[in-house]
Amino acid sequence: MSGRLFVVGLGPGDPQLLTGEADAALSTADALYGYGPYLDRIPPRPGQARHPSDNRKEPERAAAALRCVAEGAQVAVVSGGDPGVFAMAAAICAEIEAGPPAWRSLDITIIPGITAMLAVAARVGAPLGHDFCVLSLSDNLKPWPLIERRLDAAAGAGFVIALYNPVSRARPWQLGAAFERLRRHLPAATPVVFGRAVGRADENVTVTTLDAAGAEAADMATLVIVGSPETRIILRPGRESLVYTPRAMPEASA
Amino acid sequence: MSGRLFVVGLGPGDPQLLTGEADAALSTADALYGYGPYLDRIPPRPGQARHPSDNRKEPERAAAALRCVAEGAQVAVVSGGDPGVFAMAAAICAEIEAGPPAWRSLDITIIPGITAMLAVAARVGAPLGHDFCVLSLSDNLKPWPLIERRLDAAAGAGFVIALYNPVSRARPWQLGAAFERLRRHLPAATPVVFGRAVGRADENVTVTTLDAAGAEAADMATLVIVGSPETRIILRPGRESLVYTPRAMPEASA
């Protein structure tokens, strides 16, 4: 039997947000590879091996999965959200490029998933309804001055901004510094959304404004959306507010 | 019975890329509202009314659906892809904000979907594996000089760029002008992906470079991804090339 690799997006955590294609790939795999807490979301199946690994070990996990596929197995590597957004699909590609030539002949299928920003946006309205930028705040893999330059460019040009990896134990100050940077460009009343663990038991989504936004509202599982000057908050009596960015721009903004 | 509105993302078109949550909402609705070709993707159900409308009629469609919910119906408004990305969720919010106060009390649930850029990226590898911007090229709703300014900001700061609504019959020159603009900032060899109708019978995904990219390769159903200077193409004998943007930046790029 010839091997096959599925790189599967699990979505934000609620099994109802998994696609049919992802479910099918998970059910046919001989072996699953992934960050332990992501594997824990998948019901066990008899005869299916599981290889959990730490979330800092993505290159090693990708290489291990590719070796297993090269030996003829059907393998699924899982990512939370979408595997193509700051996740395993790029790690797999990097290992294929750097690895033995035979890995370039392997059968690879990437299965998209609901990435965190889409799930968080859906909870509050449509903050990503107009042009937006998506930025990882982790400076483990890129220098902080480049992140600052990108925040300046995005806010200066009127993009809404979705921030992945806002904080971690090893990166406690970056989100606060990003808010400070964005306050140079954006009005104090710019809406900010903190979305944590959407669709899971510990979900917590809050809406605030840029002047009031503090890094302590986020943890590793949080996705932050900072609006543009066009982003609006609709107050609703007895219901959560809606946050949205209109598709139509006033001509004066040009 | 009190009304309820679901704003449902259908994903790129393959029913296998629908989430369980979207499927459940579509099955319980009394009435469906949407652009005709999107409604055509949904199997008919006895007793479920369908209200197709033109794709330029989003505000009217949103208002009609909200009136129906206010009368007590369970209504689903559908979008291709994700409803929060250049789609119906923002139109619904805008009508709620402008409409009768009673609409603010309505029960609204937005159900995310696989948006086109995630589906296209998955087909070719991981072009969105690092920081990226998402931009509609339609100048129906915003002035063209603002689009140019955003292209400059995004390319100048090293973001990968996903372009929605690249061309239409009424907007034939915008994509060519965008490529011209991006050539000021980006190397000739920058990878460009054209992804059309992923998961549907007429799917067509091609990879080229910025110097060779032409607007004639795109139509209304195409999503275009323009890489950053870090985006790479991996040639694979006997298989389609992979395109990916590494998560790790060389220090020299700072």
Side-chain angles (χ1 to χ4, degrees):
Chain A
M1 193 179 75
S2 67
R4 187 167 183 192
L5 178 62
F6 297 95
V7 189
V8 180
L10 297 182
D14 178 348
Q16 278 290 93
L17 284 177
L18 201 68
T19 68
E21 191 179 23
D23 200 42
L26 295 175
S27 70
T28 60
D30 304 314
L32 304 181
Y33 286 79
Y35 175 45
Y38 295 152
L39 289 182
D40 292 343
R41 295 186 196 166
I42 304 167
R45 287 184 177 85
Q48 189 176 61
R50 285 168 176 251
H51 303 279
S53 45
D54 188 79
N55 67 349
R56 295 291 191 97
K57 299 284 186 186
E58 295 185 338
E60 295 83 349
R61 182 191 308 146
L66 286 162
R67 279 193 296 272
C68 188
V69 174
E71 287 165 7
Q74 308 266 319
V75 172
V77 172
V78 303
S79 276
D82 179 81
V85 177
F86 308 117
M88 284 306 296
I92 295 282
C93 289
E95 293 303 311
I96 290 173
E97 189 175 25
W103 285 5
R104 298 192 183 211
S105 305
L106 296 177
D107 187 354
I108 315 280
T109 302
I110 299 168
I111 298 176
I114 304 293
T115 183
M117 65 181 168
L118 301 184
V120 171
R123 275 292 190 268
V124 298
L128 306 177
H130 197 61
D131 303 333
F132 61 97
C133 286
V134 188
L135 189 60
S136 169
L137 273 194
S138 170
D139 56 353
N140 291 334
L141 297 172
K142 65 190 166 190
W144 180 254
L146 179 64
I147 296 175
E148 287 186 329
R149 190 151 67 86
R150 290 185 178 164
L151 290 168
D152 290 345
F159 286 99
V160 173
I161 301 171
L163 298 173
Y164 281 72
N165 306 315
V167 291
S168 74
R169 261 177 296 237
R171 294 182 294 101
W173 57 264
Q174 282 81 349
L175 181 59
F179 286 143
E180 273 306 310
R181 194 88 189 178
L182 292 172
R183 288 185 191 111
R184 298 185 188 182
H185 303 276
L186 295 170
T190 302
V192 174
V193 181
F194 293 89
R196 187 184 183 286
V198 166
R200 304 205 294 275
D202 50 347
E203 172 174 329
N204 187 24
V205 179
T206 59
V207 175
T208 182
T209 51
L210 185 56
D211 57 342
E216 70 287 349
D219 68 8
M220 272 183 66
T222 305
L223 183 283
V224 180
I225 298 175
V226 180
S228 78
E230 312 300 330
T231 305
R232 305 177 61 79
I233 297 179
I234 309 174
L235 299 176
R236 297 193 301 165
R239 294 199 180 273
E240 299 292 327
S241 297
L242 289 171
V243 182
Y244 82 107
T245 309
R247 297 184 63 189
M249 295 284 298
E251 287 295 321
S253 303
Chain B
M1 194 178 74
S2 65
R4 186 165 183 193
L5 178 61
F6 297 95
V7 189
V8 180
L10 297 181
D14 178 348
Q16 278 291 93
L17 285 177
L18 201 68
T19 67
E21 191 179 23
D23 200 42
L26 295 174
S27 70
T28 59
D30 302 315
L32 305 180
Y33 286 79
Y35 176 45
Y38 295 152
L39 289 183
D40 292 343
R41 295 186 196 165
I42 304 167
R45 288 186 175 84
Q48 189 176 61
R50 283 167 177 254
H51 303 280
S53 46
D54 188 80
N55 66 349
R56 295 290 192 96
K57 299 283 185 186
E58 295 184 339
E60 295 84 348
R61 181 191 308 146
L66 286 161
R67 279 192 297 271
C68 189
V69 174
E71 287 164 6
Q74 308 266 318
V75 173
V77 171
V78 303
S79 276
D82 179 83
V85 177
F86 309 118
M88 285 305 297
I92 295 282
C93 290
E95 293 304 311
I96 290 172
E97 188 174 25
W103 285 4
R104 299 193 181 210
S105 304
L106 296 177
D107 186 354
I108 315 279
T109 301
I110 299 169
I111 298 177
I114 303 293
T115 182
M117 66 182 168
L118 301 185
V120 171
R123 275 293 191 271
V124 300
L128 306 178
H130 197 63
D131 302 335
F132 61 97
C133 285
V134 187
L135 190 58
S136 169
L137 273 194
S138 170
D139 56 353
N140 292 333
L141 297 172
K142 65 188 166 191
W144 181 254
L146 178 63
I147 296 176
E148 287 186 327
R149 190 152 66 85
R150 290 185 179 166
L151 290 168
D152 290 345
F159 287 100
V160 173
I161 301 171
L163 297 173
Y164 281 71
N165 307 315
V167 292
S168 74
R169 262 177 296 240
R171 295 181 294 101
W173 57 264
Q174 283 79 350
L175 180 59
F179 286 143
E180 273 306 310
R181 195 89 189 177
L182 293 173
R183 288 185 191 110
R184 298 184 187 182
H185 302 278
L186 296 170
T190 302
V192 175
V193 181
F194 292 91
R196 186 183 182 287
V198 166
R200 306 205 293 275
D202 51 347
E203 171 173 329
N204 187 25
V205 179
T206 58
V207 175
T208 183
T209 52
L210 185 56
D211 57 343
E216 70 286 350
D219 68 8
M220 270 183 67
T222 305
L223 182 284
V224 180
I225 298 174
V226 180
S228 78
E230 312 300 328
T231 306
R232 306 177 61 77
I233 297 180
I234 310 174
L235 300 176
R236 297 193 301 165
R239 294 199 179 273
E240 299 293 327
S241 298
L242 290 172
V243 182
Y244 82 107
T245 309
R247 297 183 64 190
M249 295 285 297
E251 287 296 320
S253 301

